[in-house]
Structure formats: structure tokens, C-alpha cells
Amino acid sequence: MEGKEEDVRLGANKYAERQPIGTAAQGAGDDKDYKEPPPAPLFEPGELKSWSFYRAGIAEFIATFLFLYITILTVMGVSKSNSKCATVGIQGIAWSFGGMIFALVYCTAGISGGHINPAVTFGLFLARKLSLTRAIFYMIMQCLGAICGAGVVKGFQQGLYMGNGGGANVVNNGYTKGDGLGAEIVGTFVLVYTVFSATDAKRNARDSHVPVVPSSIALQQFEIILAPLPIGFAVFLVHLATIPITGTGINPARSLGAAIIYNREHAWNDHWIFWVGPFIGAALAAMYHQVIIRAIPFKSRS
């Protein structure tokens, strides 16, 4: 591992799924042109000696820090106004979350895979796209980044921050805990399923015959630009739907960072929902994509 760059794609670590352009990857040709990569090992001690492993963790920390900083500031800007029409409103908050995910996944996809969310990391781990070692490291760095990002926002405007909920996720009045849990499960399912679909190497293999892309390098650049777009758009849409219910978590690091820095009792009452819901949603999305869509367990038996 030392001295070598790891080919880290969205949702994968060094186990890249790459298909050369120009192959007939549709229909009957799929089995010939596409080879399923081996699953990532559960433990990979060699990673701990690789600088790229720690570089990826730092990238996840910085990305989650920036994500919380921009999005919580946006929430505070909306909260401080007496008239929502004078601010960007709920739609602007949703765009802030979705737009930042789009930008940050684009920036970090080639370094860490651009997870920026423990639920995404968990789903990809269940699909054996990365090792347990890397998954735990990513989750720790994501949570630390989120805490620091929310902390900087509080440092800038402590009175406003503490007086307007600190961007912490809670189940809003008029909804039950079951409503909140269901919203988090379905919302995270949408996100993680989009991640799997946007980074599906077999889909890239099918599309590799398209003549408008002149080279494999151009194809790779096209994928790097295109994949973050549906992921960010999924985050935007889920926020539009669930901000009125839970403020939209779908990211345990985001929920934890805001809860720790805000640190009021009501922010912790329902906090378990913002871990249990996203992890269940991520697990269901991983199962659906791997078992139903890709039928990988059945292929391995044949």
C-alpha cells in the first residue's frame, strides 16, 4: 500500500469498479464485460500504515465541518427573521444542505469517497465497499467535524444560536416519535439508494459504449462531475419533505454535532431517532440495491 495512490471512488475505497470505454456492456454482453470486484476485507491492518487512509479521514473531517458550518448558519439566518418571506425560507435551507453535499462530494470523492455521513458509510460498509477499519475511522472523523462546524457557528453568534434551537434535530409538535423515526428511515433510504445508484459501476459499464465520450479519461471526469449531482439533489428533496417533521437529520453526524453544541435537554430527548432511523434506512437501501437490484448474493452462488 505504501507509495501507491488508492483509487477511491464514491462509496468505494481501493476496490474500484472501472469499466473501459468502448465495450459492449449492454444486454448479453454484461457478463463478459463486467467483473464484480471482490468485497473489501472486514479488517485491513495495512490501511493503518498508509498515508492515504489518514488523508481520507482528514478529508471527511473537513467536509463535515464545512457542511455543518454553512448549513447551520443558513438555518440560523432563517430562524432570526420575523418574516420567512424576508429570508431564503425552508426552500433555501433545503438548497443549502443539498448544494453543500453536491459541492463537498465533488471535492472529496477522489480522496475519501465523499461520504460526509455515517449512515452512508454504514450502508457502504454493509455492501462491503470498504473495510470496518475505514468505516469506523470515517464515522469518528465525521462526528468530530460536525461538532467543530456547529461550534464555530455558535462562536460567531452565541445568543442567536442558543435562542433559536441551534439547528438541533427534534421531532416537531404535531408529530409522534414514530412519525419522526419513519421520516428518518425513508429519507435516509432515498439518500443511500441514490448513492448506490449514482456510483454503480455496472451502470457505468453499460453506458460506456456512448460515442459522445471520446476517451476513458473523459468518461472518468464525466462520472466525477455527474455522480454528486443526484446525491445532492436527493438531499435537497428529502429536506423539502421532512424539515417540518424532524428538521431533517438523515445524517447522524449532523444531528450529533448540533445536539452537543446546543446541549439543551429537549435536543437529547429524541436524539436516538436520528441514529436509529438513518442506520435502518441505510441498511435497507444497501440490502435493496445489492440483493434486489444487483442480485449479487445469487450471482456468487452460480
Side-chain angles (χ1 to χ4, degrees), residues 230-250:
I231 297 171
F233 201 63
V235 171
F236 164 70
L237 293 174
V238 171
H239 275 75
L240 283 182
T242 60
I243 282 176
I245 304 173
T246 62
T248 309
I250 69 171

Side-chain angles (χ1 to χ4, degrees), residues 26 122 247 264:
Q26 285 190 324
F122 180 67
R264 295 284 177 85

Side-chain angles (χ1 to χ4, degrees), residues 15-26:
Y15 301 93
E17 303 183 17
R18 182 76 66 192
Q19 181 70 22
I21 189 171
T23 54
Q26 285 190 324

Side-chain angles (χ1 to χ4, degrees), residues 117-120 122-124 126 139 177-178 180-193 196 250-252 272-289:
N117 185 336
V120 171
F122 180 67
L124 294 166
L126 293 180
M139 290 182 191
K177 295 184 190 304
L181 182 62
E184 289 297 306
I185 291 173
V186 176
T188 311
F189 180 93
V190 172
L191 169 60
V192 178
Y193 178 41
F196 274 104
I250 69 171
N251 183 334
W272 63 272
I273 290 173
F274 302 100
W275 285 86
V276 175
F279 273 52
I280 292 175
L284 292 174
M287 183 184 306
Y288 177 68
H289 185 268

Side-chain angles (χ1 to χ4, degrees), residues 57 59-69 71-72 97 101 104 114-122 135-151 161 166-169 184 188 191-192 239 247-262 267-268 271-279 282:
E60 288 292 309
F61 172 87
I62 294 297
T64 316
F65 168 84
L66 294 174
F67 178 60
L68 266 288
Y69 172 74
T71 56
I72 299 299
F97 279 88
I101 287 295
L104 293 169
H115 297 193
I116 322 170
N117 185 336
V120 171
T121 300
F122 180 67
I136 293 174
F137 183 49
Y138 277 15
M139 290 182 191
I140 292 172
M141 297 301 281
Q142 289 157 359
C143 290
L144 291 175
I147 293 167
C148 292
Y161 183 88
N169 291 120
E184 289 297 306
T188 311
L191 169 60
V192 178
H239 275 75
T248 309
I250 69 171
N251 183 334
R254 173 259 186 275
S255 300
L256 178 68
I260 286 179
I261 299 302
Y262 183 57
W268 293 108
H271 186 70
W272 63 272
I273 290 173
F274 302 100
W275 285 86
V276 175
F279 273 52

Side-chain angles (χ1 to χ4, degrees), residues 90-100 232-233 236 239-240:
I90 288 179
Q91 293 88 345
I93 293 173
W95 275 120
S96 175
F97 279 88
M100 278 304 291
F233 201 63
F236 164 70
H239 275 75
L240 283 182

